[in-house]
Amino acid sequence: MGSSGGSELLLPLSERLRLPVEQVNFAMCQLFGLFAAFLFRNYLHPSKTNHIIRHVVATLLGLHFAFFCFGRYTVYFVGEVILLYCVMVTVHIKQIHKYSFLIAMAYLTMCQIIRVYWFAGEERSADFSGPLMVITQKVTKLAFELHDGLARDESELNASQKRLAVRQIPRILEYLSYNLNFMGILAGPLNSYNDYISFIEGRNFVVKNHLAKEKKSDQWPPNEPSSLGAVGCKILICSVCVFMHLYLLDVFPISYNTDNTFIATASIPVRLLYLYISTLACRPKYYFAWTIADAVNNAAGFGFTGYDSRGKPRWDLFSNLNIVKVEFATSMKMFIDNWNIQTALWLKEVCYDRCPFNPTLSTFLLSAIWHGVFPGYYFTFITGTFMTLAARAVRNNLRPYFLVSPTCKTFYDVMTWATTQVVVSYTVVPFVLPFLSSSFKFYRTWYFSLHIIAVVLILVLPKKPKSTPREPQKFQMTKQSMILHHCNGQQNRRVLVDTNQNHPTRID
């Protein structure tokens, strides 16, 4: 075991690739998990084996992956799961969601403080808090769904809450399997307890195939669909992401944005261009982690949502991002809505939909606390709040005037794309350079200019501009939908079969 606790078996490969051994361990575990997932689906199919065996195998393999990547720090994962199970079976059902939420968030924050300040940042490359963040999402999500299913009246629940509500306390094996299975232990993605149990017990295709049979048999295959196409496509995306990460990160290190010589000698346009490219170079590692995790689940037969209008199977139950919409976002909302989708849904379910006071501010605060204790994270989320409000004000006041013709609309889209990319890059640098000194130095080199511009726009632009007569109704957006910028719009996607894929997410 290395200093970070994980295995050093792949240290020669990590030195050859010039990557931390923790990142290589993660990638190799996910690739092995992909192979194991195909075996899991074929040889431990629900029609061939008992669901208890599926739970046991998934859990043990998940623990093995965690130990290989994080070594002794795996105890933090198991500790949180066991602690929250004790809370779940002892606390009154009417209070289960509150106690589970507070204890899970306190446990996560304590572990993040230990990692950052006790280990003095030495464990950052291994980042064992990453799996803890997903486990925290799962245990709190389940607690709220148990409260919905056992402590609330059916008439009080919305459509999503009714579908996700859990009607009985999980047994310990089911609980361990849900939180520690090999498909999601390293990078998620977050999924609901009901969906996971349906998958383990072989019921996840039943409803979708029932809907499919209502269509013509030659267009809607009645049998379990193959996931090879979806997995192959996602592996291709991962390959491109690895290449971009290895090439761009060395050529365009983000820390160069705070280099004194570069700041003193480069012009503003050159600095802006470098800022965009260097932050772009950081995103492929997230694309890889989320996409390979999605592919592992799909290979195991988990993630099927039905068929599209052409009769092709869709495997996007818990997809975490839409890369095209992220890279070509023309607004902060569009970028946020297509980044880390499952976290946005979690924030909506446990905070926004239930918070009795200022749900928008509470949701941003929870997101910041969940991410960790590095000061740069708070710089990013505070800055993101200002940028989102400013972007909303600009859009509401200026966009109607550019809808008079396709040419004007295209010009507007190009300008807003360029502006959004600069603003996002400016916002997320402290997230990548998370210590107080580097975050503050970066913003100071830009004289906090975008912060000042954002505040001025928020204060100066009218809150409720008059719509122009020529503005088409379809381009108008209500205040409510803007408030729900990083939380709304995705509950129906998970239950409908014939809708288009429109994935919202949030800055990570």
Side-chain angles (χ1 to χ4, degrees):
M1 295 296 169
S3 59
S4 66
S7 172
E8 292 190 345
L9 179 66
L10 300 177
L11 184 59
L13 179 61
S14 72
E15 293 174 346
R16 184 178 182 87
L17 295 175
R18 290 182 296 172
L19 289 173
V21 67
E22 294 82 6
Q23 294 183 16
V24 176
N25 285 348
F26 169 83
M28 291 299 105
C29 275
Q30 290 294 64
L31 290 176
F32 181 79
L34 193 66
F35 175 71
F38 281 115
L39 297 179
F40 188 80
R41 183 177 186 183
N42 288 295
Y43 293 98
L44 294 180
H45 191 275
S47 64
K48 299 178 181 179
T49 188
N50 189 283
H51 62 84
I52 294 178
I53 296 177
R54 283 168 60 85
H55 278 305
V56 170
V57 172
T59 304
L60 292 179
L61 195 54
L63 288 172
H64 179 75
F65 283 4
F67 189 76
F68 185 84
C69 288
F70 302 102
R72 62 184 180 273
Y73 301 113
T74 303
V75 70
Y76 290 113
F77 311 158
V78 178
E80 180 173 18
V81 173
I82 297 299
L83 174 63
L84 269 295
Y85 189 77
C86 293
V87 172
M88 187 177 67
V89 297
T90 56
V91 173
H92 193 280
I93 193 63
K94 291 187 177 180
Q95 304 296 326
I96 191 173
H97 59 309
K98 296 179 182 179
Y99 281 98
S100 296
F101 180 80
L102 291 175
I103 293 174
M105 291 303 299
Y107 185 95
L108 174 65
T109 302
M110 178 192 70
C111 291
Q112 289 170 330
I113 291 173
I114 290 173
R115 183 176 68 87
V116 174
Y117 295 107
W118 188 1
F119 296 142
E122 294 176 3
E123 303 297 325
R124 190 172 189 278
S125 58
D127 197 2
F128 63 86
S129 67
L132 275 176
M133 293 164 71
V134 178
I135 291 173
T136 299
Q137 288 181 326
K138 286 186 174 183
V139 296
T140 54
K141 178 180 173 67
L142 176 56
F144 277 92
E145 291 166 357
L146 275 168
H147 179 257
D148 289 342
L150 298 176
R152 298 178 67 190
D153 189 83
E154 191 81 7
S155 61
E156 299 175 354
L157 307 179
N158 60 36
S160 172
Q161 290 168 347
K162 289 179 181 178
R163 188 185 78 84
L164 298 175
V166 179
R167 307 295 178 179
Q168 63 180 15
I169 300 291
R171 287 168 291 192
I172 182 64
L173 177 59
E174 295 170 340
Y175 190 79
L176 291 174
S177 176
Y178 171 60
N179 287 289
L180 301 173
N181 67 82
F182 76 95
M183 298 168 292
I185 183 66
L186 298 182
L190 176 66
N191 50 72
S192 75
Y193 177 79
N194 282 343
D195 286 334
Y196 181 75
I197 296 301
S198 294
F199 155 70
I200 289 292
E201 297 180 358
R203 295 181 281 107
N204 56 317
F205 294 106
V206 175
V207 175
K208 284 82 176 181
N209 280 335
H210 174 72
L211 293 173
K213 290 175 183 178
E214 295 178 1
K215 303 293 181 177
K216 293 182 180 180
S217 60
D218 60 340
Q219 295 180 348
W220 299 85
N223 299 319
E224 285 190 13
S226 170
S227 59
L228 285 175
V231 172
C233 180
K234 290 170 184 178
I235 293 301
L236 179 61
I237 292 173
C238 290
S239 301
V240 174
C241 291
V242 168
F243 173 79
M244 292 183 63
H245 179 67
L246 293 176
Y247 175 73
L248 292 178
L249 208 59
D250 283 342
V251 179
F252 301 100
I254 196 167
S255 58
Y256 196 58
N257 284 286
T258 58
D259 181 80
N260 292 329
T261 303
F262 176 65
I263 295 169
T265 58
S267 63
I268 295 297
V270 170
R271 289 181 62 195
L272 284 174
L273 180 61
Y274 187 88
L275 174 63
Y276 166 67
I277 296 176
S278 61
T279 53
L280 173 65
C282 294
R283 292 201 281 268
K285 71 176 181 180
Y286 295 100
Y287 294 163
F288 173 85
W290 290 334
T291 304
I292 191 69
D294 199 7
V296 171
N297 281 270
N298 294 165
F302 192 20
F304 176 65
T305 55
Y307 299 88
D308 61 22
S309 58
R310 296 173 294 177
K312 293 184 177 181
R314 289 174 48 189
W315 294 86
D316 58 354
L317 180 60
F318 31 69
S319 293
N320 231 352
L321 78 162
N322 186 319
I323 296 177
V324 173
K325 290 187 177 181
V326 166
E327 297 301 341
F328 293 95
T330 56
S331 66
M332 282 291 290
K333 178 185 184 301
M334 185 176 177
F335 187 99
I336 290 170
D337 283 352
N338 290 280
W339 177 272
N340 206 350
I341 297 169
Q342 301 309 315
T343 293
L345 294 176
W346 173 70
L347 290 168
K348 181 180 189 299
E349 181 179 354
V350 305
C351 185
Y352 191 92
D353 285 347
R354 306 171 195 263
C355 188
F357 55 91
N358 204 331
T360 302
L361 178 60
S362 300
T363 301
F364 271 108
L365 179 61
L366 172 59
S367 182
I369 295 173
W370 175 77
H371 274 88
V373 294
F374 279 109
Y377 296 169
Y378 291 85
F379 268 107
T380 288
F381 281 100
I382 292 171
T383 303
T385 303
F386 284 112
M387 298 305 164
T388 300
L389 294 174
R392 183 187 306 170
V394 171
R395 178 184 176 87
N396 289 344
N397 283 274
L398 298 183
R399 190 170 187 267
Y401 297 101
F402 289 89
L403 302 178
V404 295
S405 70
T407 302
C408 290
K409 176 64 167 56
T410 301
F411 174 78
Y412 174 84
D413 287 342
V414 171
M415 294 303 296
T416 52
W417 170 82
T419 303
T420 298
Q421 298 305 317
V422 170
V423 169
V424 167
S425 300
Y426 177 88
T427 300
V428 303
V429 166
F431 194 92
V432 186
L433 303 175
F435 294 99
L436 180 63
S437 58
S438 55
S439 298
F440 188 78
K441 180 179 181 181
F442 171 76
Y443 281 143
R444 191 177 58 200
T445 61
W446 287 98
Y447 303 101
F448 291 86
S449 54
L450 293 192
H451 289 83
I452 296 171
I453 293 173
V455 171
V456 170
L457 291 173
I458 293 169
L459 296 176
V460 171
L461 292 177
K463 296 295 185 295
K464 294 182 179 180
K466 296 181 180 180
S467 300
T468 59
R470 286 182 280 187
E471 180 182 359
Q473 184 66 29
K474 66 179 181 179
F475 287 111
Q476 295 180 1
M477 183 168 290
T478 65
K479 182 178 180 181
Q480 181 183 11
S481 66
M482 293 300 293
I483 291 176
L484 293 176
H485 57 282
H486 75 293
C487 296
N488 72 348
Q490 285 304 297
Q491 299 296 5
N492 291 335
R493 180 184 66 79
R494 302 181 69 179
V495 294
L496 296 179
V497 175
D498 290 327
T499 54
N500 292 325
Q501 295 187 45
N502 290 314
H503 300 299
T505 67
R506 188 188 49 70
I507 291 182
D508 188 48

